[in-house]
C-alpha cells in the first residue's frame, strides 16, 4: 500500500475510490461493462438475426450473405448497427442487474440455507431468478431495440397504416418509446414480456449452470486461464440458447406485430402465439435465425463471462466464497457485537 501511495495523488485517489466502493456497486459496474462490450461485438449478427426472425419472406430467402449484402446496399455499413444504441442502452443495465442479482441471490440462498451445496444447482437457481429480475427492469428497452432493428428503410414490407413506404416509423430511441407508450401505454412497452420471462428463467439458469459445471471440472491451475473461460462460456451459451430459442422467436414477433404486413391476426398469449406461428409459418420458423444466433452466442457469452471476471479482478471483488463469508461474518457481527465466535 505504501508503494501505491508513492505513485501520486491520482493513483491514491483511484485506489481509494475502488476500495471505498460497496460490493454491489463493483458487481454492477463489472456486469455493465461486460454486457456492453459483448453486445457491441456481435451487433451485426444480432441485426440479421432479428430480421430473420421477423421478416421471413424478405430475408430468409436470400440467406445470411444475401441479407448482409441487402443491408449494405440499402442502409450502408451502419445499417448493421441499427437499433444498437437501444441495444447497448438496454444491455448495460440488464447485464449489470443480471450479474449483480446472480451474486446477491447466490449469497442470499447460502445464508438462508447454510447446509445447501455449492454445486451448479445453486448457480441454476440463482441464475434463473437473476435473469427474471433483470428482464422485468429492462424489458421496455429490449422492445424498443427490436422495433428499431426491424425497420428497413424503403422496404415495401414495412406496412403500417398511413405510412409512406420510404418513411421510418420510429426515428430513434426516444421517438420509439413515445409512440409506443401513446399507442398502448405501459402494456405496450411490455408486449411480449411473458415469453421473455418463460425463456430467460431456463436460459439464464442453464447458462450459469453449464458455465460453473464445466469450470468445476477444469484443473485448479487452469481455472483462471482466459481461453478456458472463453470455451466454458461459449458452450454454456450454446446449450442454454438451444433449449429456449423458440420462445425468443415468439417474443420478437409479438414485439413487432404492429409492423408486420401479414393479416394473420393478433398474437396474444405466448402459447397461442406459438401455435399460430407453427400453423401459419411452419415449425421451422421457431428456429429461424438459430444458426446465426449460434455464431452470435459463442463470442457474446464467452466475452461476457470473461470481461466480467476481468472487471471483477480489476475492481478487486473477492471470490464468491470469500464474499459470502464476508457478508455472513458482517451480519453475525452486527447481530452479536459482543460475540467472539465466527
Amino acid at each position: 500500500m505504501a508503494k501505491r501511495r508513492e505513485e501520486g495523488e491520482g493513483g491514491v485517489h483511484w485506489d481509494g475510490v475502488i476500495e471505498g466502493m460497496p460490493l454491489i456497486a463493483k458487481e454492477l459496474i463489472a456486469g455493465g461493462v461486460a454486457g456492453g462490450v459483448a453486445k457491441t461485438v456481435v451487433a451485426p449478427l444480432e441485426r440479421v438475426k432479428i430480421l430473420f426472425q421477423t421478416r421471413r419472406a424478405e430475408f430468409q430467402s436470400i440467406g445470411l450473405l444475401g441479407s448482409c449484402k441487402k443491408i449494405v446496399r440499402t442502409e450502408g455499413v451502419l445499417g448493421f448497427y441499427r437499433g444498437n444504441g437501444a441495444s447497448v442502452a438496454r444491455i448495460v443495465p440488464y447485464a449489470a442487474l443480471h450479474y449483480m442479482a446472480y451474486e446477491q441471490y447466490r449469497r442470499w440462498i447460502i445464508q438462508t440455507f447454510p447446509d445447501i451445496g455449492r454445486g451448479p444447482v445453486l448457480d441454476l437457481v440463482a441464475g434463473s431468478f437473476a435473469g427474471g429480475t433483470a428482464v422485468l427492469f429492462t424489458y421496455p428497452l429490449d422492445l424498443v431495440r427490436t422495433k428499431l432493428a426491424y425497420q428497413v428503410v424503403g422496404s415495401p414490407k414495412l406496412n403500417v397504416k398511413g405510412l409512406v413506404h420510404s418513411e421510418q416509423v420510429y426515428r430513434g430511441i426516444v421517438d420509439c418509446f413515445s409512440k409506443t407508450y401513446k399507442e398502448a401505454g405501459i402494456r405496450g412497452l411490455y408486449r411480449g414480456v411473458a415469453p421473455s420471462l418463460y425463456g430467460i428463467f431456463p436460459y439464464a439458469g442453464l447458462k450459469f449452470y453449464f458455465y460453473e459445471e464445466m469450470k468445476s471440472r477444469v484443473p485448479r491451475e487452469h481455472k483462471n486461464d482466459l481461453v478456458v473461460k472463453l470455451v466454458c462460456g461459449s458452450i454454456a451459451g450454446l446449450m442454454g440458447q438451444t433449449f429456449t430459442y423458440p420462445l425468443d422467436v415468439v417474443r420478437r414477433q409479438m414485439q413487432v406485430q404492429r409492423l408486420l404486413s401479414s393479416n394473420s391476426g393478433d398474437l396474444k398469449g405466448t402459447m397461442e402465439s406459438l401455435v399460430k406461428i407453427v400453423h401459419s409459418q411452419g415449425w421451422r420458423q421457431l428456429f429461424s435465425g438459430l444458426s446465426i444466433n449460434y455464431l452470435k452466442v459463442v463470442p457474446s457469452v464467452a466475452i461476457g463471462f470473461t470481461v466480467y471476471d476481468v472487471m471483477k479482478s480489476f475492481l478487486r471483488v473477492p471470490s464468491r466464497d470469500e464474499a459470502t463469508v464476508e457478508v455472513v461474518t458482517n451480519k453475525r457481527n452486527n447481530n452479536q457485537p459482543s460475540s467472539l465466535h465466527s
Side-chain angles (χ1 to χ4, degrees), residues 113-332:
F113 307 99
D115 295 329
I116 196 170
R118 301 294 196 273
V121 174
L122 172 63
D123 300 296
L124 175 68
V125 175
S128 296
F129 281 103
T133 300
V135 164
L136 285 175
F137 277 96
T138 62
Y139 185 79
L141 287 167
D142 181 54
L143 179 105
V144 168
R145 182 277 302 265
T146 300
K147 287 189 171 187
L148 291 175
Y150 176 81
Q151 292 185 143
V152 178
V153 179
S155 170
K157 294 288 184 180
L158 193 57
N159 185 19
V160 180
K161 187 176 181 180
L163 178 72
V164 178
H165 290 316
S166 61
E167 181 184 352
Q168 288 179 264
V169 181
Y170 306 112
R171 301 186 180 281
I173 297 174
V174 176
D175 182 55
C176 188
F177 259 114
S178 177
K179 288 181 178 177
T180 302
Y181 181 77
K182 286 179 181 177
E183 289 163 9
I186 294 295
R187 291 185 65 180
L189 291 173
Y190 277 87
R191 185 171 186 80
V193 71
S196 292
L197 289 174
Y198 297 154
I200 197 62
F201 268 95
Y203 173 65
L206 288 170
K207 185 174 69 173
F208 280 103
Y209 174 89
F210 286 122
Y211 183 65
E212 296 300 331
E213 171 67 18
M214 285 183 291
K215 280 209 312 182
S216 69
R217 299 178 184 278
V218 175
R220 193 175 193 86
E221 62 271 20
H222 296 296
K223 284 188 181 293
N224 292 324
D225 292 355
L226 288 181
V227 174
V228 169
K229 293 180 188 222
L230 286 168
V231 172
C232 290
S234 299
I235 298 174
L238 288 171
M239 296 291 286
Q241 189 67 51
T242 301
F243 289 114
T244 60
Y245 190 78
L247 289 170
D248 190 43
V249 174
V250 173
R251 171 172 59 110
R252 297 298 185 197
Q253 294 209 13
M254 290 179 73
Q255 287 176 334
V256 301
Q257 180 179 310
R258 177 179 171 268
L259 305 178
L260 290 171
S261 58
S262 64
N263 297 316
S264 58
D266 287 347
L267 298 176
K268 296 179 181 178
T270 302
M271 291 308 299
E272 180 184 345
S273 299
L274 192 67
V275 172
K276 187 167 288 188
I277 289 172
V278 172
H279 179 73
S280 61
Q281 304 174 33
W283 66 268
R284 292 177 183 274
Q285 178 63 17
L286 294 177
F287 295 92
S288 176
L290 181 57
S291 59
I292 298 175
N293 211 50
Y294 282 154
L295 295 177
K296 183 199 74 156
V297 164
V298 169
S300 179
V301 177
I303 291 170
F305 274 124
T306 303
V307 173
Y308 179 62
D309 284 343
V310 170
M311 285 300 298
K312 284 203 302 179
S313 177
F314 173 74
L315 294 171
R316 299 165 205 165
V317 176
S319 68
R320 291 191 178 108
D321 290 335
E322 289 174 349
T324 300
V325 170
E326 181 181 339
V327 171
V328 172
T329 301
N330 291 338
K331 184 176 179 181
R332 287 176 177 173

Side-chain angles (χ1 to χ4, degrees), residues 1 4 7 11-23 26-27 30 308-319 322-323 326:
M1 290 298 290
R4 283 180 181 169
E7 293 177 355
V12 174
H13 176 70
W14 182 243
D15 285 345
V17 170
I18 292 178
E19 295 296 339
M21 279 185 188
L23 183 59
K26 292 180 179 180
E27 290 167 350
Y308 179 62
D309 284 343
V310 170
M311 285 300 298
K312 284 203 302 179
S313 177
F314 173 74
L315 294 171
R316 299 165 205 165
V317 176
S319 68
E322 289 174 349
E326 181 181 339

Side-chain angles (χ1 to χ4, degrees), residues 41-61:
V41 169
V42 301
L45 286 171
E46 178 74 8
R47 174 82 200 283
V48 176
K49 186 199 77 170
I50 290 176
L51 291 173
F52 264 53
Q53 288 178 325
T54 58
R55 289 176 171 274
R56 185 182 178 214
E58 189 177 354
F59 281 87
Q60 281 191 1
S61 60

